[in-house]
Amino acid sequence: MARHLITSALPYINGIKHLGNMVGSMLPADVYARYLRQRGHEVLYICATDEHGTPAELAAQDAGLPVAEFCARAHDRQKAVYDGFRLSFDFFGRSSSPQNREITQEIARELHANGFIEERAIRQVYSIADGRFLPDRYIVGTCPHCGYDKARGDQCENCTRVLDPTDLLEPRSAISGSSDLEVRETRHLFLLQSKLTDEVEAWIAANGDGWPVLASSIARKWLTEGLQDRSITRDLEWGVPVPADTWPELAAEGKVFYVWFDAPVEYIGATREWADAAPAGEVRDWRSWWYETDGTVRYTEFMAKDNVPFHTVMFPATLLGSRQPWKKVDYVKAFNWLTYYGGKFSTSQQRGIFTDVALELLPADYWRYFLMAHAPESDDSSFTWDLFASVVNKDLADTLGNFVNRVLSFSRKRFGDAVPGGHGPGGHGPGSHEPGEAEQRLGAQIAGLLADYEGDLEALNFRKAARSLRALWSAGNAYLDEKAPWLQAKTDPEAAALTLRTAMNLIHLYAVVSEPFIPTAAAAMRQSFALAEDAPARTAAWASAEQARALDFLPAGTAFTVPPVLFAKITDEDLAAWTTRFGGE
């Protein structure tokens, strides 16, 4: 089996993320990682908090905490939310780790040695009151375009116009509030992307054709516009320091690397953190995933579209310029925006549903399924409470949850707390019913739908995969309605036993194949059947086409319990309360 390296864009440290962040990177990566593991592949799913940069310092300042302490607390808070969403990271690291600092500095030294980093003088805003140069985000003022009085020196969040600090009206320091500012000369390091243009173009030409159009078009747009040399250092107190052995003067001035230089390196750094965190007696080789691995590892990145340029141009340019055989991405899965009633989710403006609050409202599986069923793959998609309730009620509560409940509840009422033994798949007994045309047709249908579902997940088409999964659930309901065991039980109990046993095997199949999307409900369905420890159905990670046709997982007589309601319906009262609390149309 192949070795799969999976990374999702690093969530920034300055607050709990909203649902748009979740569906745009971490959740689809988790669904894919879970699926590949179940199919027997070796998978390493890596993520981390992105902890450097101006917003981290400003958030720490607002919280009244030292930035290192703020980031440590924020990391733990985010990790708790992701655990609540059942994200199955193999490791969730921190970009402020010693491992990332060491690797980032080493790559910078290699770029310098190879002639791809240059020191240049630039003019930058200096705060007299603060005694320091200010990065663009440390300068706030009034936007000249819309009049918003809290616009940053790089962009106005209100009208989204890109700005220069000198564009702002009444500019002031975000640290002290002082307007005593002047422009002075300072020196910074630049990554000479212009010298790497041909190599990046060749690399994208060789690899980008297989990417989704969204990812490849953004990458090629940047190339068409021409790669510009980019400043990769900042005047901040918090970040990966410029190494003193290579740039002693800049190090003495306290320069640190730009967050978009060190953050992608944290994919490597977090893998080294994972290796260093191995328990006693276990050896983890982080280099086997990242160094000289082009023929042995398939690397897939997940991100929203705003992160694509950094991952498809700047980071590959960095790795190419190092002249070291670092693994570069094979497939970039990019997403459009999930909007809230057509408007942008915003962490800074607290617009939309945030992941910690989502888990307070409903368990993770509700959100996981809805978000993947409406993932913004080909275009932006919009969250509305009515749509959310409709999907939960129709797909999860009615199609899956009601099927499981009525099959197990009726079978227990009619045949007791064990899988009925009428012949059917796995059943035995003289005079009992053989599977008929309906069961054969069902088996062929389930095998075909399972193949569709597998193909969708292999191709990372998540909306299609959700539709294929829903079609599998719907097939069970159609079979049950056709056979009507509640009527069969009155005239032909063995026929009813066959129908119910077949339906129970469907429940087991659903438990296995639904796990990537709804792991908690999948576990509850699996645990409904008291299978022996060594029973193949208990240990199987996936279902083959032959097993799907046969629907013969559960031995007759297997004890079962009726699980609690898998998915409760969302009521009109719920909708009214949530719309009032969070806003809507």
Side-chain angles (χ1 to χ4, degrees):
M1 289 293 183
R3 303 177 77 219
H4 286 267
L5 175 64
I6 297 172
T7 62
S8 50
L10 310 186
Y12 198 68
I13 198 67
N14 64 335
I16 297 297
K17 302 299 109 178
H18 52 66
L19 294 182
N21 295 125
M22 179 63 69
V23 74
S25 58
M26 290 175 284
L27 181 54
D30 179 70
V31 171
Y32 188 53
R34 285 177 176 274
Y35 169 71
L36 291 176
R37 291 189 193 107
Q38 285 187 253
R39 299 308 304 271
H41 297 287
E42 184 180 0
V43 174
L44 187 66
Y45 176 22
I46 293 293
C47 193
T49 39
D50 180 3
E51 301 189 6
H52 294 140
T54 307
E57 288 194 3
L58 293 177
Q61 178 182 314
D62 290 343
L65 293 170
V67 65
E69 182 179 348
F70 170 82
C71 288
R73 292 185 185 185
H75 170 87
D76 291 344
R77 284 187 64 212
Q78 288 201 27
K79 179 61 164 59
V81 172
Y82 304 146
D83 288 345
F85 265 87
R86 300 289 308 277
L87 301 184
S88 59
F89 304 122
D90 288 289
F91 195 81
F92 186 70
R94 302 181 59 188
S95 69
S96 61
S97 68
Q99 292 90 339
N100 189 46
R101 181 172 63 247
E102 181 178 331
I103 296 170
T104 297
Q105 290 178 337
E106 184 56 35
I107 289 175
R109 291 186 189 98
E110 291 162 350
L111 287 164
H112 175 66
N114 296 328
F116 297 118
I117 286 182
E118 181 177 277
E119 187 176 334
R120 294 180 180 175
I122 64 170
R123 294 181 65 77
Q124 189 173 336
V125 174
Y126 184 89
S127 168
I128 308 271
D130 299 316
R132 61 179 290 178
F133 286 99
L134 298 180
D136 293 350
R137 278 177 171 252
Y138 269 39
I139 307 163
V140 294
T142 299
C143 175
H145 304 287
C146 72
Y148 181 59
D149 65 355
K150 295 183 179 63
R152 302 189 311 261
D154 60 345
Q155 186 178 34
C156 175
E157 277 205 346
N158 186 56
C159 70
T160 74
R161 298 285 282 271
V162 175
L163 301 172
D164 208 69
T166 54
D167 296 331
L168 294 174
L169 306 177
E170 301 179 345
R172 60 195 180 276
S173 165
I175 301 172
S176 62
S178 172
S179 59
D180 191 6
L181 309 177
E182 63 184 32
V183 177
R184 295 184 181 181
E185 185 175 280
T186 184
R187 301 190 68 80
H188 280 285
L189 298 180
F190 280 72
L191 177 63
L192 305 184
Q193 293 186 139
S194 59
K195 294 176 66 174
L196 290 159
T197 298
D198 291 346
E199 293 179 53
V200 175
E201 285 181 343
W203 177 77
I204 290 176
N207 295 276
D209 286 345
W211 300 347
V213 172
L214 178 62
S216 61
S217 62
I218 292 173
R220 291 192 168 102
K221 180 175 183 291
W222 268 49
L223 290 174
T224 300
E225 293 174 353
L227 297 190
Q228 304 299 312
D229 298 341
R230 191 178 188 97
S231 171
I232 58 168
T233 51
R234 294 292 187 270
D235 292 286
L236 295 170
E237 297 177 2
W238 178 245
V240 174
V242 169
D245 58 5
T246 310
W247 295 281
E249 292 182 2
L250 296 186
E253 294 172 7
K255 307 287 188 187
V256 300
F257 285 109
Y258 174 42
V259 62
W260 265 114
F261 185 76
D262 83 84
V265 178
E266 169 60 6
Y267 296 134
I268 307 172
T271 309
R272 187 169 174 182
E273 292 176 63
W274 162 79
D276 291 346
E282 181 181 343
V283 177
R284 297 174 177 174
D285 183 3
W286 68 274
R287 283 183 172 270
S288 72
W289 291 95
W290 281 103
Y291 207 76
E292 297 180 332
T293 60
D294 281 345
T296 61
V297 172
R298 178 167 176 79
Y299 178 22
T300 305
E301 292 177 346
F302 290 80
M303 70 200 68
K305 58 187 177 184
D306 59 328
N307 285 330
V308 169
F310 299 100
H311 287 80
T312 60
V313 176
M314 184 173 177
F315 188 41
T318 299
L319 297 181
L320 287 165
S322 75
R323 299 297 187 243
Q324 296 297 313
W326 293 111
K327 177 65 182 176
K328 288 169 283 295
V329 65
D330 294 298
Y331 192 84
V332 178
K333 177 62 176 179
F335 291 85
N336 288 285
W337 302 127
L338 176 70
T339 66
Y340 186 73
Y341 287 87
K344 284 185 66 176
F345 279 83
S346 173
T347 299
S348 60
Q349 297 182 10
Q350 290 292 297
R351 174 179 169 80
I353 310 303
F354 288 74
T355 49
D356 56 343
V357 175
L359 293 177
E360 294 172 6
L361 301 178
L362 290 168
D365 281 357
Y366 291 72
W367 302 104
R368 288 177 63 103
Y369 179 79
F370 171 81
L371 291 171
M372 297 316 301
H374 290 272
E377 292 179 293
S378 59
D379 204 348
D380 292 350
S381 62
S382 181
F383 177 95
T384 69
W385 285 111
D386 286 338
L387 177 61
F388 177 65
S390 174
V391 171
V392 166
N393 291 347
K394 291 178 181 178
D395 293 2
L396 297 178
D398 286 344
T399 305
L400 177 61
N402 188 50
F403 176 79
V404 172
N405 182 265
R406 64 176 176 156
V407 167
L408 296 182
S409 295
F410 182 74
S411 187
R412 182 179 63 182
K413 178 180 177 181
R414 186 63 181 80
F415 296 103
D417 294 328
V419 175
H423 192 285
H428 302 282
S432 57
H433 278 262
E434 296 282 348
E437 189 271 336
E439 285 71 36
Q440 293 171 2
R441 180 164 25 91
L442 174 68
Q445 180 187 16
I446 293 297
L449 290 172
L450 179 60
D452 292 341
Y453 179 56
E454 292 169 348
D456 294 335
L457 285 173
E458 296 284 351
L460 287 82
N461 291 325
F462 293 103
R463 291 181 72 137
K464 288 183 178 179
R467 287 198 293 269
S468 296
L469 182 58
R470 182 174 63 243
L472 280 163
W473 300 339
S474 296
N477 283 278
Y479 169 75
L480 205 64
D481 291 342
E482 176 187 352
K483 296 299 292 287
W486 48 91
L487 298 178
Q488 290 176 317
K490 298 176 181 178
T491 59
D492 191 347
E494 289 187 352
L498 167 62
T499 298
L500 291 168
R501 177 178 173 72
T502 303
M504 288 185 189
N505 276 281
L506 279 173
I507 292 172
H508 179 78
L509 175 76
Y510 296 162
V512 172
V513 303
S514 302
E515 183 179 331
F517 280 79
I518 48 172
T520 302
M525 287 188 281
R526 273 200 187 234
Q527 292 162 9
S528 297
F529 302 102
L531 292 162
E533 291 288 340
D534 59 348
R538 185 185 181 100
T539 58
W542 199 253
S544 67
E546 293 74 19
Q547 290 171 322
R549 286 191 189 90
L551 291 174
D552 191 11
F553 302 101
L554 304 173
T558 299
F560 70 85
T561 57
V562 181
V565 174
L566 292 179
F567 296 99
K569 283 197 170 186
I570 295 172
T571 66
D572 290 342
E573 290 75 15
D574 293 327
L575 280 179
W578 295 339
T579 302
T580 299
R581 178 179 173 185
F582 300 105
E585 291 182 302

